[in-house]
Every structure is written in structure tokens, then in C-alpha cells.
């Protein structure tokens, strides 16, 4: 029998781990839903799955990103596919764990930690469950600081990481290895075609990164940010304060519009949910109009026909009363919503990043203007 690993053998000190409880998960559900900009998978379903793992005795742990060893092997993972499928089809539950094991076997390595691909929505929960099942910590960072619809749209890829070899696993027990992609965009194209054949939603783990790379190019403290944001919303709700004003205060954001959904176009195309939301202004915006373009996430907000905010800054569609996010698959005619914009992390605002996550990367003839902090 192999001897148990000692602290010296590990790529981190167990004393640095943050073990999450049920209150943390509820706050994460709210905060990750907000940061998800409409996508990333339904956070409520993600929380239910994470709580079930807790009830089974698994520990969900987070490690400060600067506490991972420089030479540690870290695998980032998350869901891929259309968010609506994640609501309509129940996951098998161990897809992400199988992805990690497939990569370990394929590469002949042992993974030291799990990294989050995107902090938005249910994809904030998936790494925590995989880490719990594998006995590994999740690093307190992610590759987006929000959610984006395509896999090359991570700071990991933008700043030089090659995602292949990668592994994709689905609810049916299939495992696919992408040995090599000529570029990160080719990796996205091949994986997207594969996920369509698997029913529209799967889990994908990318090639391991070193801890030193994660420290430099991961968006730092994103789990802490999401949980603190969720706690702020819960405090505002309990005190009968305005949760939307609290979100803007905590995240230096701005409320752009308050309105009612008057029209909604939404359809599945090529593994994405695409569409547009039309809004009629209410309260202080009575008589005004708004619209949001969607590709899994909220991409652009137009106010009276003029672009007011666009990717990579965060566009949120929030319930006007609770301040909680309404994901794109849950949008409905007649909902009263607030449109809020948050500034993205500086790693997403470089010219190098804007080539990948700016409006032109989505085929939009728009110029990104950084949001002025509220």
C-alpha cells in the first residue's frame, strides 16, 4: 500500500485550505450567477449538485492562488455547450472527474490542483465538485472573471497556454481526447462539434498548467469575489435595502436601465444559445427602450438604439427586486429587470485580450470603450 502524502509532498499547505459550507455555497450561487453575465450554466442547479456532494461527505476546498507551488500541475475545467441543455438534462455527476483521470492516464502525470475555467454560473461549482471527488483543492482564480461562450476566451489561452491535449466527457460515459489543435480557435471548433453530437452539453478539462503560470495569468481571487458579492446581496435582502445598489457599490458598477421584457428571441445554433432581448423602460427609464444581444452570455446592451456597454465588460440582467441574476435560459416575457454593467479585470482589456474577447471577436462592428466605474 502506498504511503499517504505528507505536507512536504504536496504542492500546497493543507493549512491554507478554505473548506466551504452551505452558506458559502448559497453566496457563491448568487455571486457566480451575477458574474456569469447570463451564462456559465444555471447556478441553482450547480449548487444543488454541490450540496449533494457535501451530504455524501466530500469536502469542497479553495486554495489562495498564490499558495500553489510554482511547479504544480493544475487542470482547468468547466462545462461546454448550451446553458438550456443544463437545465433540461440532468448530469451524470462524475463527468469532470473522468476528464481529469483521462488526462492523467493519457499524459502519464498526476494532477496537483483544479483550476476554474470560468467563475460564472454553474461553472463555478463544477471544479469544486471535481476537486472534492479527486481529493484536490480548487485554486482561487479563474480564466475569465465572468463567463464567455467560447473556450479560447480565457486568460490562460490569451496569454500563451495551449489547451490540448484535452479531454471531454459526457453523461453517456463517452470520453474524447483532443490530442492536438493547430490553434485555440481550432480547439474550440472541434470541441463544439463534438459537444453537439453528445447532446449539447458536456464537461471539458484542458491540458495542465504550471502553478507559476496560474499565478501570473489567472484572474485572481475570483471565488472570494463571487462569495463576497453573494453575501452582500443576501445582507441587502435581509435588511430590505436595494441589492442592486449594493452590487454596484461592491463591484464599482453602474445601473444602466430598468425595464420590462417585451420581446425575446432565443434559439439553439451550433452549440450556443443566440438571441436578443427587447426591453421597455419603467420607473426612471419610462418611455425609453433597451435591448441585449446574447450568445450564451449577454454581449451588448443598447439604450435607445445606442450601444452603452459591450464585452468584455460585464452586462448583467438582474431581477429588479431581489438583485439576483436571470440567466439567459430563464429569461421570460414580462419580467421586470435591471441592466447593470461591471468593469472587467484588466487582464481582459489589453490589446492582446481584446482581439479574443472584444466585440469584433463576436462579429460585431463595435468599438469597445471601457466602462467608467460607478
Amino acid at each position: 500500500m502506498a504511503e499517504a502524502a505528507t505536507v512536504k509532498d504536496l504542492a500546497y499547505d493543507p493549512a491554507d485550505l478554505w473548506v466551504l459550507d452551505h452558506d458559502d455555497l448559497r453566496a457563491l450561487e448568487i455571486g457566480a450567477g451575477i458574474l456569469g453575465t447570463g451564462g456559465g450554466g444555471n447556478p441553482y442547479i450547480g449548487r444543488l449538485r454541490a450540496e449533494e456532494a457535501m451530504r455524501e461527505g466530500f469536502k469542497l476546498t479553495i486554495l489562495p492562488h498564490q499558495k500553489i507551488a510554482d511547479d504544480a500541475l493544475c487542470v482547468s475545467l468547466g462545462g461546454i455547450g448550451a446553458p438550456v441543455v443544463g437545465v433540461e438534462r440532468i448530469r451524470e455527476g462524475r463527468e469532470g472527474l473522468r476528464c481529469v483521470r483521462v488526462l492523467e492516464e493519457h499524459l502519464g502525470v498526476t494532477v496537483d490542483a483544479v483550476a476554474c475555467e470560468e467563475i460564472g454560473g454553474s461553472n463555478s461549482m463544477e471544479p469544486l465538485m471535481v476537486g472534492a471527488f479527486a481529493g484536490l483543492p480548487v485554486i482561487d482564480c479563474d480564466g475569465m472573471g465572468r463567463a464567455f461562450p467560447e473556450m479560447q476566451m480565457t486568460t490562460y489561452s490569451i496569454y500563451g497556454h495551449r489547451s490540448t491535449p484535452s479531454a471531454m466527457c459526457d453523461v453517456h460515459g463517452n470520453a474524447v481526447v483532443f490530442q492536438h489543435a493547430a490553434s485555440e480557435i481550432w480547439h474550440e471548433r472541434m470541441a463544439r462539434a463534438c459537444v453537439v453530437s453528445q447532446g449539447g452539453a458536456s464537461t471539458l478539462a484542458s491540458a495542465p498548467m504550471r502553478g507559476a503560470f496560474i499565478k501570473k495569468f489567472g484572474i485572481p481571487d475570483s471565488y472570494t469575489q463571487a462569495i463576497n458579492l453573494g453575501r452582500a446581496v443576501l445582507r441587502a435582502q435581509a435588511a430590505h435595502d436595494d441589492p442592486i445598489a449594493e452590487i454596484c457599490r461592491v463591484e464599482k458598477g453602474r445601473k444602466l436601465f430598468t425595464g420590462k421584457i417585451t420581446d425575446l428571441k432565443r434559439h439553439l445554433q451550433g452549440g450556443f444559445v443566440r438571441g436578443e432581448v427587447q426591453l421597455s423602460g419603467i420607473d426612471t427609464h419610462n418611455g425609453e427602450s433597451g435591448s441585449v444581444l446574447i450568445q450564451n452570455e449577454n454581449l451588448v446592451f443598447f439604450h435607445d438604439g445606442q450601444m452603452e456597454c459591450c464585452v468584455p465588460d460585464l452586462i448583467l440582467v438582474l431581477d429588479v427586486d431581489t438583485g439576483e441574476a436571470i440567466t439567459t435560459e430563464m429569461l421570460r416575457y414580462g419580467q421586470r429587470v435591471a441592466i447593470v454593467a461591471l468593469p472587467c479585470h484588466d487582464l481582459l482589456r489589453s490589446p492582446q485580450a481584446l482581439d479574443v474577447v472584444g466585440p469584433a471577436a463576436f462579429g460585431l462592428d463595435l468599438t469597445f470603450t471601457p466602462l467608467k466605474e460607478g
Side-chain angles (χ1 to χ4, degrees):
M1 180 180 294
E3 294 183 3
T6 66
V7 171
K8 185 177 180 180
D9 296 325
L10 296 174
Y12 57 90
D13 185 343
D16 292 323
L17 294 178
W18 171 14
V19 181
L20 301 186
D21 60 25
H22 290 281
D23 289 340
D24 295 327
L25 283 184
R26 173 58 179 147
L28 179 59
E29 174 196 354
I30 294 174
I34 292 169
L35 296 177
T37 62
N42 189 283
Y44 171 69
I45 294 175
R47 176 172 67 87
L48 293 182
R49 295 179 57 231
E51 288 186 332
E52 180 62 25
M54 278 187 177
R55 283 190 289 270
E56 293 175 5
F58 292 100
K59 290 184 178 181
L60 281 60
T61 60
I62 293 174
L63 179 72
H65 76 287
Q66 290 295 340
K67 297 295 186 178
I68 189 71
D70 285 349
D71 61 350
L73 285 179
C74 313
V75 166
S76 69
L77 56 86
I80 175 174
V84 68
V85 178
V87 174
E88 296 178 348
R89 187 181 70 178
I90 297 174
R91 288 175 179 260
E92 177 270 335
R94 297 296 194 274
E95 297 94 328
L97 178 63
R98 290 201 302 274
C99 286
V100 172
R101 296 306 186 215
V102 166
L103 276 182
E104 287 181 324
E105 181 179 0
H106 181 72
L107 296 172
V109 300
T110 299
V111 170
D112 297 302
V114 175
C116 182
E117 193 85 354
E118 62 179 12
I119 193 62
S122 184
N123 269 335
S124 65
M125 305 284 183
E126 190 67 28
L128 292 171
M129 288 179 281
V130 173
F133 299 149
L136 300 174
V138 176
I139 302 172
D140 193 0
C141 70
D142 79 303
M144 296 183 181
R146 45 163 298 155
F148 282 121
E150 299 184 15
M151 293 190 308
Q152 77 277 9
M153 296 175 174
T154 69
T155 52
Y156 309 140
S157 294
I158 290 167
Y159 294 103
H161 177 61
R162 296 301 297 267
S163 297
T164 52
S166 64
M168 180 188 291
C169 297
D170 67 8
V171 300
H172 309 292
N174 297 311
V176 177
V177 173
F178 298 93
Q179 173 63 36
H180 174 73
S183 68
E184 294 294 274
I185 291 179
W186 270 111
H187 183 224
E188 157 67 27
R189 289 172 180 169
M190 292 188 295
R192 191 68 51 179
C194 185
V195 79
V196 170
S197 71
Q198 292 180 345
S202 298
T203 303
L204 187 139
S206 299
M209 298 172 281
R210 291 293 179 183
F213 183 89
I214 285 272
K215 292 175 184 178
K216 188 173 183 180
F217 296 117
I219 292 181
D221 306 320
S222 49
Y223 275 100
T224 298
Q225 177 190 7
I227 291 173
N228 286 341
L229 177 56
R231 288 172 177 165
V233 171
L234 289 169
R235 285 195 303 268
Q237 291 174 350
H240 302 289
D241 292 333
D242 181 0
I244 292 171
E246 185 66 3
I247 291 167
C248 292
R249 184 191 69 80
V250 170
E251 294 296 326
K252 300 180 180 179
R254 292 170 51 207
K255 183 168 78 171
L256 305 180
F257 193 80
T258 307
K260 182 173 70 173
I261 296 178
T262 55
D263 194 16
L264 175 62
K265 298 181 178 69
R266 184 177 51 201
H267 58 276
L268 282 171
Q269 181 183 12
F272 298 109
V273 171
R274 300 178 186 270
E276 183 175 2
V277 182
Q278 296 289 338
L279 303 164
S280 177
I282 58 175
D283 301 332
T284 58
H285 295 96
N286 189 42
E288 302 171 16
S289 65
S291 63
V292 180
L293 292 183
I294 294 170
Q295 182 183 331
N296 283 12
E297 285 76 42
N298 307 314
L299 301 182
V300 188
F301 172 66
F302 294 95
H303 190 171
D304 286 337
Q306 299 296 312
M307 190 271 284
E308 192 162 351
C309 185
C310 72
V311 288
D313 282 338
L314 286 67
I315 299 167
L316 320 176
V317 179
L318 306 177
D319 181 281
V320 75
D321 296 315
T322 68
E324 297 186 32
I326 305 174
T327 52
T328 54
E329 75 276 7
M330 302 304 290
L331 294 168
R332 299 291 185 269
Y333 175 84
Q335 287 171 330
R336 293 163 54 89
V337 302
I339 306 298
V340 171
L342 306 181
C344 67
H345 193 275
D346 286 344
L347 282 171
L348 296 174
R349 288 184 169 181
S350 70
Q352 187 176 351
L354 289 175
D355 285 343
V356 181
V357 298
F362 296 90
L364 301 170
D365 187 18
L366 300 169
T367 300
F368 171 70
T369 302
L371 178 75
K372 295 180 180 179
E373 294 183 357

